Amino acid sequence: REHWLDRGHGSCLLRNRLVQQTIVENLNRFDHQRYVIDAFVVMPNHVHVIVKPLEPNSLSGILHSWKSYTGNRINELLNRKAPVWMAETFDTIVRDYSHLTACRDYIARNPQEANLKENEFVLDRRDALVVDGTEPGSEQAGRLPAGSGWQPDIQTNALLHAKKLGFSDRQMAAANGISETAIRAKRKSLGVLPTYRLVDTCAAEFEAYTPYYYSTYGDENERRESDKRKIMILGGGPNRIGQGIEFDYCCVHAAFALRELGFETIMVNSNPETVSTDYDTSDKLYFEPLTLEDVLNIYDQENPEGVFVQFGGQTPLNLASGLKAAAVPILGTQPESIETAENRQLFAAMLDKLALRQTPNGSATSTKGAVAIAKKIGYPVLVRPSFVLGGRAMELVYNEKDLRRYMASAIEVTPDRPVLIDRFLEDAIEVDVDCISDGETTVIGAIMEHIEEAGIHSGDSACVIPTFSLSQNVLDEISTATKSMARELNVRGLMNVQFAVKGDDVYVLEVNPRASRTVPFVSKAIGVPLAKLAAKVMTGKSLGELGFTREIVPKHFSVKEAVFPFLRYEGLDISLGPEMKSTGEVMGMDIDLGLAYAKSQMAAPPPLPKTGKVFISVKDTDKEAVIPVAREFVKLGFEIISTSGTAEALTRAKIKITKVFKIHEGRPNVLDRIKNGDINFIINTPSGKIPREHEVAIRNAALAARIPIMTTVRAALASANGIRSLQKRKVQVRSVQEYHLEMAKSECRITKQ
């Protein structure tokens, strides 16, 4: 039907020149008030218009009023009473630049296709709308040009209505083609502000006094005012991989510390499944999303002395620059230091200034750039997006083909969020360091040695306090480097550093000027509440005043082990890599490293076996490394079972093995033996990024049968050491407080000497 009209078929009132003028006049009447016209054509039988409705007007409302008004005007003009317009319209949504261009051209071709003369139509092409970006074909259409001088006529009622419907300032800014800051300023000037209501924690049985608040755009504000000094703490929001309960621990301890100092604590968190949202943790709790708009709204209501952003993980840290731009005081490490640590160029420049080693690296915003950097620094490379949680979309790449695949499909790249590319150090030991600084003095909380080799995400790797294989020279270098970076970044509060140690060389991998997920583990291991101390430091206290001025190296071993959700997700590959998979962590403590590790495995079952049979199947590059591990298990009395490839390597090393069929070679195969309970422990390292089908089958069968499985050689060796300790010693249970008391006695003896 529309195509038929475009060709000029049919007769209509619009052939009348006076009617055409009436249409044009009434199109222009509300231009830049209810809508913006980009182009239109008035034909003898129809009208085509490209129009952008302006808030709060809808397209349906605009069409209804326009058709009604023009219909009446045309009937008056021609002294008639019949309907002018058809009931239906032919609408299409213009979604991108190429579509906008096509619609403009389509309108311009209408008179030509209908073979009309010059005085038989009215064509007006204004090109009033522009695109976001510079490359045609990829941008959104419909933004008003910046230099147009036009500002949306945002009315109080319309704005309040939009906020009651749940639209954010950012959404309204996008709809009106202006900045979020401008919308916020307009909203505040019109008095469109949120109010806060109390959550009824007593279910209307009696009056609720617990200060739990939620925002609404209503008339009554139930927020309670006080005359105490206030500090706001931003929580971690919803729990997800990379942003877990460890950060909530830090927020809770920060609240307790501020209470001890006499501050009123204001917690902002949207997760009811956390301790920070318990009724007795903070003085006030706001159940609000951790967005810039919501945090600024609370700040305007409460007007605290400052805000803590470094305890809730990456989520509140991402708000730091926006808060500072809005003149909100950030307590502790400043956003400029955070940017230096997270911006690859600034970070590399800082390390060069401090003469610290770093792996060759670069950042890229295109596939071509990424390939060039990888060729320059050499494969394998570790690639990851900027500003991500839990190493999301991080990958270890060994060749150009895989790098091109990664750049094409795995991520979204923008100039302000480039891909980070690092030369990967094979066979290196990864080390985590947590420290605390008051701006003058920096004290190491703990140096943690990872059990898994570098390349496994730190959140998935088991780690040990104190270190067990690093030389004193290496430890001294790590300590010195950490303190120099804390001083250069002007850290006030907590800082986490990740190092890689290859031989005697120490490389800086990453610095996070915030609380890390290992802070609870370190605090329990050394008996010092680091998050509490950091909160007090951020309010102006010195470490000297707080009595924490030197590193504590415990006499016992503490092992942190990750907890995985694999049993809940059948068919998921359980092998570890640079992208985080764990959803929690546990801890084992003992004066013997092997028993501490064994306890951690008991806490994250299945536990280590004391006897039985070990199945070993590793990738080619691990075949030499697994030989000493297999010898250890033989010494412990275990029988070794292996498939053909690994069996050949172990046989050449004169290790007695029992050969078993691979899954596709016949029956009974390794899967049968796992299901029959013939295997008690499995060592199976992945063959590549995309695992072979039989590898996943073996690992999932092990999970189903509750058989411990290690996917790295270093973890397998640690397991052998743990089993040796289990065979020699009886497991004893001691409370964390007993270990801390022992440390305190040891410290007293050292002081007296």
Side-chain angles (χ1 to χ4, degrees):
R1 178 74 178 273
E2 186 180 6
H3 186 66
W4 182 80
L5 289 171
D6 291 341
R7 292 298 174 92
H9 300 295
S11 179
C12 179
L13 297 173
L14 300 185
R15 289 185 179 277
N16 188 312
R17 194 64 178 169
L18 291 176
V19 171
Q20 289 182 353
Q21 289 175 1
T22 300
I23 297 297
V24 173
E25 287 173 6
N26 286 287
L27 279 173
N28 289 326
R29 180 180 295 273
F30 295 109
D31 186 29
H32 281 70
Q33 293 182 38
R34 296 183 183 178
Y35 46 77
V36 175
I37 295 173
D38 183 82
F40 68 81
V41 63
V42 182
M43 298 283 285
N45 52 11
H46 70 282
V47 178
H48 270 312
V49 188
I50 300 176
V51 62
K52 176 181 176 62
L54 297 176
E55 289 286 349
N57 302 286
S58 66
L59 180 62
S60 60
I62 291 169
L63 278 172
H64 181 269
S65 62
W66 186 82
K67 285 165 71 173
S68 175
Y69 183 79
T70 54
N72 289 332
R73 292 284 294 153
I74 291 169
N75 278 337
E76 287 176 13
L77 181 69
L78 302 180
N79 194 24
R80 61 190 297 277
K81 294 184 178 180
V84 172
W85 303 107
M86 292 166 47
E88 71 269 24
T89 57
F90 302 97
D91 304 329
T92 183
I93 298 173
V94 181
R95 297 191 181 279
D96 54 39
Y97 178 80
S98 58
H99 193 186
L100 177 62
T101 303
C103 288
R104 287 169 175 169
D105 293 342
Y106 170 74
I107 282 178
R109 286 198 310 271
N110 262 226
Q112 183 182 353
E113 290 192 3
N115 296 315
L116 297 180
K117 296 176 183 178
E118 191 172 333
N119 63 346
E120 292 180 324
F121 66 92
V122 180
L123 175 66
D124 191 345
R125 180 166 170 173
R126 304 174 183 181
D127 291 355
L129 304 178
V130 297
V131 295
D132 295 320
T134 56
E135 296 182 11
S138 62
E139 318 85 340
Q140 271 197 323
R143 182 170 58 82
L144 292 167
S148 66
W150 178 84
Q151 292 293 324
D153 183 20
I154 301 175
Q155 301 299 318
T156 304
N157 289 341
L159 191 55
L160 181 60
H161 182 63
K163 297 307 288 184
K164 285 185 175 181
L165 289 175
F167 288 98
S168 68
D169 287 353
R170 177 177 291 185
Q171 288 172 311
M172 289 192 288
N176 287 282
I178 57 177
S179 70
E180 184 179 353
T181 306
I183 286 287
R184 176 176 172 77
K186 180 72 172 178
R187 179 168 58 75
K188 291 176 70 174
S189 70
L190 294 174
V192 180
L193 303 172
T195 57
Y196 292 89
R197 302 296 300 271
L198 278 168
V199 175
D200 185 4
T201 54
C202 301
E205 292 290 328
F206 45 87
E207 187 176 358
Y209 290 98
T210 311
Y212 284 10
Y213 298 111
Y214 65 95
S215 66
T216 181
Y217 280 82
D219 299 324
E220 185 180 0
N221 197 342
E222 296 180 334
R223 185 185 66 85
R224 297 166 184 166
E225 191 55 82
S226 75
D227 57 359
K228 294 177 70 175
R229 299 173 66 190
K230 309 173 189 175
I231 289 179
M232 186 191 299
I233 303 169
L234 302 188
N239 285 349
R240 63 269 199 208
I241 290 177
Q243 183 83 30
I245 205 72
E246 304 93 337
F247 296 110
D248 196 67
Y249 167 99
C250 296
C251 293
V252 169
H253 277 253
F256 291 163
L258 292 175
R259 184 176 293 171
E260 290 174 8
L261 295 176
F263 287 94
E264 180 177 281
T265 55
I266 302 164
M267 186 73 69
V268 182
N269 204 356
S270 56
N271 186 356
E273 294 293 327
T274 56
V275 181
S276 67
T277 53
D278 282 357
Y279 73 94
D280 58 351
T281 297
S282 56
D283 295 304
K284 291 179 182 177
L285 170 68
Y286 285 85
F287 274 114
E288 294 294 298
L290 286 153
T291 67
L292 186 61
E293 176 185 342
D294 291 290
V295 172
L296 286 175
N297 286 340
I298 298 167
Y299 176 81
D300 288 343
Q301 292 265 340
E302 292 288 352
N303 196 27
E305 292 185 16
V307 178
F308 283 178
V309 299
Q310 67 169 258
F311 291 110
Q314 193 67 38
T315 301
L317 210 65
N318 289 342
L319 300 178
S321 58
L323 291 173
K324 185 151 190 177
V328 174
I330 304 296
L331 299 180
T333 307
Q334 293 303 295
E336 295 82 2
S337 297
I338 296 168
E339 172 67 13
T340 299
E342 294 191 336
N343 181 291
R344 182 46 57 97
Q345 283 77 25
L346 296 176
F347 181 58
M350 183 192 77
L351 295 184
D352 288 340
K353 178 183 176 182
L354 298 175
L356 298 176
R357 287 188 198 89
Q358 57 183 313
T359 55
N361 61 73
S363 59
T365 57
S366 67
T367 301
K368 184 179 178 182
V371 169
I373 291 169
K375 284 181 178 177
K376 180 181 177 182
I377 66 179
Y379 290 95
V381 293
L382 197 63
V383 290
R384 66 187 188 276
S386 311
F387 305 98
V388 296
L389 295 173
R392 185 170 51 83
M394 189 184 291
E395 191 172 319
L396 188 55
V397 173
Y398 284 88
N399 53 60
E400 184 178 322
K401 180 183 175 183
D402 284 345
L403 179 59
R404 288 184 178 276
R405 171 191 53 76
Y406 178 89
M407 293 296 294
S409 61
I411 53 159
E412 178 182 344
V413 185
T414 59
D416 60 330
R417 290 181 179 267
V419 176
L420 309 180
I421 305 169
D422 293 85
R423 176 77 166 86
F424 177 65
L425 298 174
E426 294 187 279
D427 302 320
I429 298 170
E430 192 161 336
V431 177
D432 252 296
V433 180
D434 278 330
C435 71
I436 183 171
S437 179
D438 60 10
E440 298 292 334
T441 303
T442 300
V443 179
I444 302 294
I447 300 175
M448 295 158 271
E449 182 176 350
H450 288 212
I451 287 176
E452 281 80 8
E453 63 268 19
I456 306 299
H457 192 279
S458 60
D460 287 351
S461 179
C463 65
V464 183
I465 301 173
T467 60
F468 58 91
S469 71
L470 302 178
S471 68
Q472 190 58 48
N473 287 339
V474 167
L475 293 176
D476 291 342
E477 186 176 343
I478 288 172
S479 180
T480 302
T482 300
K483 291 176 181 178
S484 64
M485 286 186 286
R487 193 179 309 109
E488 184 66 23
L489 290 169
N490 197 23
V491 170
R492 282 177 168 77
L494 293 165
M495 184 178 84
N496 172 265
V497 189
Q498 292 172 24
F499 295 93
V501 179
K502 188 160 186 176
D504 291 329
D505 293 334
V506 176
Y507 296 85
V508 181
L509 298 179
E510 189 176 312
V511 173
N512 293 301
R514 59 166 171 81
S516 75
R517 65 176 58 83
T518 50
V519 165
F521 168 61
V522 172
S523 299
K524 286 179 169 62
I526 68 173
V528 176
L530 291 180
K532 254 188 169 183
L533 296 183
K536 293 179 179 179
V537 162
M538 291 160 68
T539 62
K541 299 285 185 182
S542 70
L543 289 173
E545 289 178 88
L546 299 173
F548 186 59
T549 55
R550 63 187 181 87
E551 179 184 357
I552 297 173
V553 181
K555 302 295 183 185
H556 59 270
F557 288 96
S558 299
V559 177
K560 182 209 80 172
E561 181 58 283
V563 176
F564 299 94
F566 299 138
L567 283 172
R568 296 175 182 269
Y569 303 102
E570 188 177 342
L572 182 72
D573 183 33
I574 68 170
S575 62
L576 304 180
E579 185 168 357
M580 189 172 169
K581 295 181 178 180
S582 65
T583 53
E585 57 188 38
V586 294
M587 181 176 176
M589 298 175 74
D590 204 280
I591 57 171
D592 178 83
L593 174 58
L595 280 180
Y597 182 79
K599 286 179 178 179
S600 73
Q601 301 308 299
M602 293 174 189
L608 298 175
K610 293 183 182 180
T611 59
K613 298 173 183 176
V614 179
F615 170 70
I616 303 177
S617 177
V618 296
K619 62 186 177 184
D620 290 343
T621 53
D622 285 337
K623 284 186 169 65
E624 286 299 316
V626 84
I627 289 172
V629 179
R631 286 201 177 105
E632 285 296 319
F633 276 99
V634 171
K635 290 178 185 176
L636 294 170
F638 283 81
E639 180 184 334
I640 307 297
I641 299 172
S642 186
T643 50
S644 55
T646 306
E648 288 177 16
L650 296 178
T651 302
R652 283 196 300 270
K654 297 183 171 48
I655 298 173
K656 184 180 178 182
I657 61 105
T658 299
K659 194 172 175 181
V660 67
F661 285 133
K662 292 181 180 178
I663 293 174
H664 64 276
E665 290 177 341
R667 309 289 291 270
N669 55 42
V670 59
L671 211 55
D672 295 323
R673 300 199 71 158
I674 290 172
K675 290 177 179 178
N676 292 338
D678 293 341
I679 293 173
N680 305 95
F681 189 83
I682 296 174
I683 303 169
N684 178 227
T685 62
S687 57
K689 169 66 180 175
I690 301 173
R692 294 169 183 161
E693 188 177 343
H694 67 264
E695 290 177 1
V696 178
I698 290 170
R699 292 171 199 150
N700 280 284
L703 279 175
R706 303 294 194 274
I707 299 170
I709 177 168
M710 298 296 155
T711 59
T712 66
V713 174
R714 272 177 64 94
L717 182 59
S719 298
N721 293 333
I723 292 169
R724 184 189 302 109
S725 296
L726 285 172
Q727 290 178 348
K728 289 182 178 179
R729 299 178 181 85
K730 185 178 179 181
V731 175
Q732 292 185 323
V733 178
R734 296 177 72 192
S735 67
V736 174
Q737 289 77 11
E738 288 178 87
Y739 286 106
H740 293 169
L741 183 60
E742 194 67 37
M743 279 196 300
K745 290 178 180 177
S746 178
E747 287 290 309
C748 289
R749 287 195 293 271
I750 293 170
T751 305
K752 287 177 182 178
Q753 289 172 0

